[in-house]
């Protein structure tokens, strides 16, 4: 199982990212300060670092500089509200592999993490998910039902993946919004219901069951 270090001092965001990555099959650990993040990143226990810039102690740029100065080639994805061009350039030129601005959507972060994991054998993460006749390739983002290929949008695929990773479990609308649409979602939105409808049309009407007053379940 691939292990990811999350350097993030905002507890709400750190918890959101950690829960999502664990659901996606990764082991995780959170470092709330730059000093702790650097110490853990140099321990060779992790396969990738999600690094916030505005960390207490030493900031993300200093962590990255020290990490690259020590010869570490661990993939680093910088996650920050500082998205001005000079900050992005500084991060990438400093050795970051990617730079994602806040607010962000979890499925985009997850896609970037998987992209940076060089080979499937190295990640330890599941590449193909199956439930009955439904098959999802999380690397290529392609779906099949039986022998037929099904075209899914990025958001539809992420929603389908969430269901397949949690078969038989009732997922509330709030859980789906948080995991698929991001931590800054509108809790009053009906977008999850709309996209469940899309999946039923494309994957089969009986695949996702409505649990009244609670949410949805893959059956």
């Amino acid at each position: 199982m691939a292990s990811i270090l999350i350097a993030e001092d905002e507890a709400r965001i750190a918890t959101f990212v950690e829960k999502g990555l664990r659901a996606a099959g990764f082991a995780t650990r959170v470092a709330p300060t730059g000093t702790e993040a650097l110490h853990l990143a140099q321990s060779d226990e992790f396969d990738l670092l999600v690094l916030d810039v505005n960390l207490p102690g030493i900031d993300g740029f200093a962590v990255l500089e020290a990490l690259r100065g020590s010869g570490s080639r661990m993939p680093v994805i910088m996650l920050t509200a500082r998205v001005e061009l000079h900050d992005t350039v500084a991060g990438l030129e400093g050795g970051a592999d990617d730079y994602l601005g806040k607010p962000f959507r979890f499925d985009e972060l997850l896609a970037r993490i998987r992209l940076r994991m060089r080979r499937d054998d190295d990640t330890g993460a599941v590449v193909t998910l199956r439930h009955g006749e439904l098959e999802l390739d999380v690397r290529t983002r392609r779906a099949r039902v039986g022998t037929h290929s099904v075209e899914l949008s990025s958001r539809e695929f992420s929603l389908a993946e969430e269901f397949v990773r949690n078969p038989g479990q009732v997922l509330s609308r709030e859980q789906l919004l948080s995991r698929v649409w991001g931590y800054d979602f509108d809790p009053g939105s009906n977008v999850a219901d709309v996209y469940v409808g899309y999946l039923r049309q494309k994957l089969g009407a009986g695949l996702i069951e409505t649990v009244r007053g609670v949410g949805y379940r893959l059956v």
Side-chain angles (χ1 to χ4, degrees):
M1 178 183 293
S3 185
I4 296 177
L5 177 61
I6 305 162
E8 172 61 65
D9 65 318
E10 292 188 48
R12 181 172 65 102
I13 298 176
T15 300
F16 165 70
V17 174
E18 185 173 38
K19 286 183 178 179
L21 290 178
R22 287 184 175 179
F26 296 99
T28 61
R29 181 163 176 179
V30 174
T33 70
T35 305
E36 183 178 353
L38 178 58
H39 173 73
L40 291 172
Q42 292 176 326
S43 68
D44 293 327
E45 296 178 14
F46 301 94
D47 300 287
L48 183 141
L49 170 62
V50 176
L51 178 63
D52 186 29
V53 169
N54 295 320
L55 291 170
I58 57 175
D59 69 15
F61 290 129
V63 171
L64 181 63
E65 182 181 4
L67 198 59
R68 293 298 184 240
S70 69
S72 172
R73 302 313 306 162
M74 176 196 295
V76 175
I77 297 178
M78 303 200 83
L79 186 65
T80 178
R82 291 168 57 173
V83 293
E84 290 82 4
L85 179 60
H86 65 275
D87 287 321
T88 305
V89 170
L92 295 174
E93 289 189 345
D97 297 270
D98 211 336
Y99 202 101
L100 184 62
K102 297 178 182 177
F104 62 94
R105 290 170 174 156
F106 180 75
D107 64 326
E108 182 178 3
L109 174 61
L110 182 60
R112 293 183 185 221
I113 287 172
R114 286 179 172 146
L115 181 64
R116 297 302 162 188
M117 296 293 196
R118 301 296 181 183
R119 290 170 35 191
D120 299 333
D121 288 344
D122 293 335
T123 67
V126 175
V127 174
T128 303
L129 302 174
R130 294 182 178 86
H131 181 82
E133 292 194 327
L134 174 60
E135 179 178 303
L136 302 177
D137 187 322
V138 297
R139 180 174 52 83
T140 63
R141 312 289 283 179
R142 292 177 180 171
R144 297 180 66 85
V145 176
T147 59
H148 302 288
S149 179
V150 180
E151 291 293 328
L152 296 180
S153 69
S154 175
R155 195 73 67 204
E156 289 168 350
F157 189 96
S158 296
L159 183 59
E161 182 180 350
E162 194 63 37
F163 280 116
V164 175
R165 289 189 182 277
N166 300 279
Q169 178 181 334
V170 178
L171 300 176
S172 69
R173 291 170 178 83
E174 291 76 16
Q175 286 176 310
L176 295 174
L177 285 168
S178 174
R179 296 177 186 179
V180 177
W181 277 268
Y183 70 90
D184 211 17
F185 66 90
D186 175 7
S189 173
N190 72 337
V191 67
D193 306 277
V194 172
Y195 272 78
V196 165
Y198 293 159
L199 289 184
R200 284 170 169 163
Q201 292 174 18
K202 294 184 176 184
L203 303 179
L207 187 65
I208 301 173
E209 176 184 66
T210 300
V211 180
R212 293 190 179 278
V214 183
Y216 298 98
R217 173 171 53 206
L218 185 68
V219 296

